[in-house]
Amino acid sequence: MSHDLAPSPKKPPYPVRLAQRLLENVKDPLGIPERTAKTYRYRRRQFGAARRFLRKEFRWETEWGNRKPDWWRRGFLSRSVTLYQLPDNDPSLYINDVQRYFRTKRMVNPHLQEVLNNKFSFFLLVKNLGLETDVVDLLGLHTRGHVHPFPHSNRIPVEQFLTETLAERSHIFVKPLHGAEANGVRSMKFADGKYRLDGKPSSIEEMAQWVRDFPRPVLFEAAITQHESQAYLNPHSTNTIRLLTMPDVTDDHTPFIARASQRIGSVRSGHIDNWTKGGLSANVDLETGKLSAAAQLPEGNDLQWFAEHPDSGARIQGHQVPFWEETKKLVLDAAHRLAFMEYIGWDIIITEQGPVILEANINSGMNVLQVHGPLLADPRAAAYYRARGVV
């Protein structure tokens, strides 16, 4: 067993810490201002974390009767209590929301996090990993009013880029360099002589104006045609798979897949499959690649499961993910080559030719995975979270 990642020591009880602090003040009265400032900074961080936690709680617009403040002290947002069916399930086996939002950021070295957080830098990195598959094609980057198309070195007006690119490819996506939960992701299409933005009639001028008005640089990516079997689940969105990898600290640090979730678009989520926007999540059996029934982020106190798609009636439970063995091999190979990152949530598109990497995230979307069962029930995952001070 490896011992180079020792669990973080537990703090002594508060009365003991208070007595130790008083003793330090007696021994070193000149150090009181420094220790007071340190305590102030610590309390300020605590207050800031509590404020952000409550802000996330009230982002869920619901009736007060759906709030569960008695669970806040245990680190769970009200929506998560419903999502994880607490207390019917053991809460100690779940990564709670305090741990999720404020401690899992430690998983990747802070000096390396930008590589994953920035979709442009991640694209350049994956292109050089020597994997057997390719990453989604990057078509250009917009900044300061012009698009820099790849692999060319020139800069052209947004309207020209969109007109030429959509004439060639008919469907592209635009997304911010940084972002989560599909915020800022737009779909642009050209078919039958008509332009569409997120499925609604538009024009080149309107799409170009949106790009120029966006406050940060954006990337243009090629839309990939998903496997017919994946499109069957919901043809109106690209239905991606989220896989979470981490090292096995109980053995030789070889990466393993802790959980996989098939994300499926819905009427609520529109042109994307994102869970927080109303998409569905079905667990992928790691051995067989078959799907469970799918859940949807609850609007109230009832968690619904769908063996069939609520909009199209397509069968979800028992559905076989194509190229599943190839998908696992790809992700484990990529995780091994990026072992210094340790903790990665991979987004994969299954095409007719096999799996393709869409992007990777430090934020693994904890609730979209744990709705299918607690991560700490896996001894290897629990050991890693303990080693990194999350639990």
Side-chain angles (χ1 to χ4, degrees):
M1 180 180 292
S2 175
H3 296 284
D4 57 341
L5 280 177
S8 301
K10 290 187 177 181
K11 290 183 179 180
Y14 179 74
V16 175
R17 298 201 307 274
L18 179 60
Q20 291 172 341
R21 191 179 306 123
L22 292 174
L23 184 60
E24 288 177 3
N25 291 343
V26 172
K27 290 182 178 180
D28 182 21
L30 296 180
I32 291 177
E34 180 182 347
R35 288 192 291 274
T36 302
K38 184 178 180 181
T39 299
Y40 168 75
R41 290 194 296 269
Y42 173 73
R43 296 300 180 194
R44 185 176 179 179
R45 287 196 301 271
Q46 278 190 322
F47 176 77
R51 184 176 58 186
R52 292 194 298 275
F53 178 86
L54 289 176
R55 190 159 58 230
K56 291 180 183 299
E57 166 71 30
F58 288 99
R59 277 178 59 188
W60 182 31
E61 297 178 0
T62 189
E63 299 176 358
W64 179 257
N66 292 329
R67 308 281 179 198
K68 302 174 180 64
D70 50 322
W71 283 92
W72 296 349
R73 289 180 58 86
R74 302 182 68 172
F76 290 96
L77 297 172
S78 298
R79 211 176 204 179
S80 297
V81 177
T82 297
L83 198 64
Y84 303 151
Q85 298 292 278
L86 306 179
D88 293 341
N89 294 320
D90 184 355
S92 68
L93 294 178
Y94 289 85
I95 302 293
N96 67 40
D97 294 296
V98 169
Q99 295 163 341
R100 169 192 176 191
Y101 287 116
F102 305 115
R103 298 183 189 174
T104 55
K105 297 183 184 298
R106 306 171 183 172
M107 302 305 215
V108 178
N109 188 296
H111 298 286
L112 295 172
Q113 290 184 12
E114 176 65 13
V115 176
L116 290 186
N117 286 334
N118 187 307
K119 294 176 175 59
F120 184 41
S121 63
F122 176 74
F123 170 86
L124 298 177
L125 175 64
V126 172
K127 277 287 189 181
N128 289 280
L129 285 183
L131 298 171
E132 293 182 3
T133 186
D134 210 348
V135 70
V136 172
D137 284 341
L138 183 61
L139 304 177
L141 184 148
H142 172 266
T143 182
R144 296 181 174 176
H146 286 79
V147 176
H148 298 252
F150 300 115
H152 310 293
S153 59
N154 58 323
R155 58 197 294 268
I156 60 178
V158 184
E159 287 89 348
Q160 179 184 343
F161 172 81
L162 291 177
T163 301
E164 295 175 356
T165 304
L166 287 171
E168 177 185 355
R169 293 182 175 266
S170 75
H171 188 195
I172 63 175
F173 284 97
V174 58
K175 60 176 62 173
L177 266 66
H178 296 80
E181 299 180 351
N183 292 322
V185 177
R186 310 298 297 269
S187 166
M188 297 180 175
K189 287 185 178 182
F190 177 67
D192 301 324
K194 298 179 180 179
Y195 292 101
R196 290 185 175 274
L197 180 62
D198 295 341
K200 299 177 181 179
S202 186
S203 66
I204 283 291
E205 291 74 19
E206 289 174 343
M207 293 190 290
Q209 191 61 48
W210 182 89
V211 172
R212 281 192 294 266
D213 289 344
F214 197 81
R216 302 188 301 278
V218 296
L219 294 173
F220 297 92
E221 291 182 351
I224 291 184
T225 302
Q226 62 187 332
H227 193 284
E228 181 182 6
S229 176
Q230 294 296 89
Y232 160 81
L233 295 170
N234 180 44
H236 305 295
S237 64
T238 302
N239 305 303
T240 60
I241 302 176
R242 167 64 58 86
L243 300 99
L244 175 63
T245 61
M246 62 183 72
D248 184 356
V249 300
T250 67
D251 192 11
D252 59 355
H253 287 70
T254 299
F256 70 96
I257 300 172
R259 187 67 55 83
S261 169
Q262 172 72 65
R263 299 182 298 188
I264 308 167
S266 70
V267 168
R268 272 174 57 186
S269 66
H271 70 284
I272 55 179
D273 64 351
N274 192 268
W275 163 259
T276 60
K277 305 298 185 185
L280 306 174
S281 169
N283 186 60
V284 185
D285 186 284
L286 295 181
E287 292 298 322
T288 66
K290 291 188 176 181
L291 303 187
S292 70
Q296 194 170 35
L297 200 59
E299 293 296 317
N301 280 326
D302 296 319
L303 177 63
Q304 291 183 294
W305 292 92
F306 302 95
E308 297 178 343
H309 198 288
D311 305 320
S312 67
R315 185 69 182 177
I316 297 174
Q317 189 168 11
H319 177 86
Q320 177 66 55
V321 175
F323 294 108
W324 180 240
E325 290 301 321
E326 292 83 352
T327 300
K328 290 193 293 183
K329 182 178 182 298
L330 168 65
V331 168
L332 289 174
D333 186 17
H336 181 74
R337 293 170 191 252
L338 295 178
F340 54 90
M341 292 290 183
E342 292 194 357
Y343 188 81
I344 303 178
W346 302 90
D347 288 344
I348 303 294
I349 299 174
I350 309 295
T351 71
E352 295 290 349
Q353 290 72 43
V356 174
I357 296 175
L358 175 61
E359 61 183 46
N361 307 271
I362 297 172
N363 177 9
S364 61
M366 194 68 70
N367 56 7
V368 75
L369 300 173
Q370 287 198 131
V371 67
H372 304 295
L375 283 169
L376 298 180
D378 183 334
R380 294 177 300 174
Y384 179 68
Y385 286 119
R386 283 196 300 270
R388 279 288 171 247
V390 174
V391 297

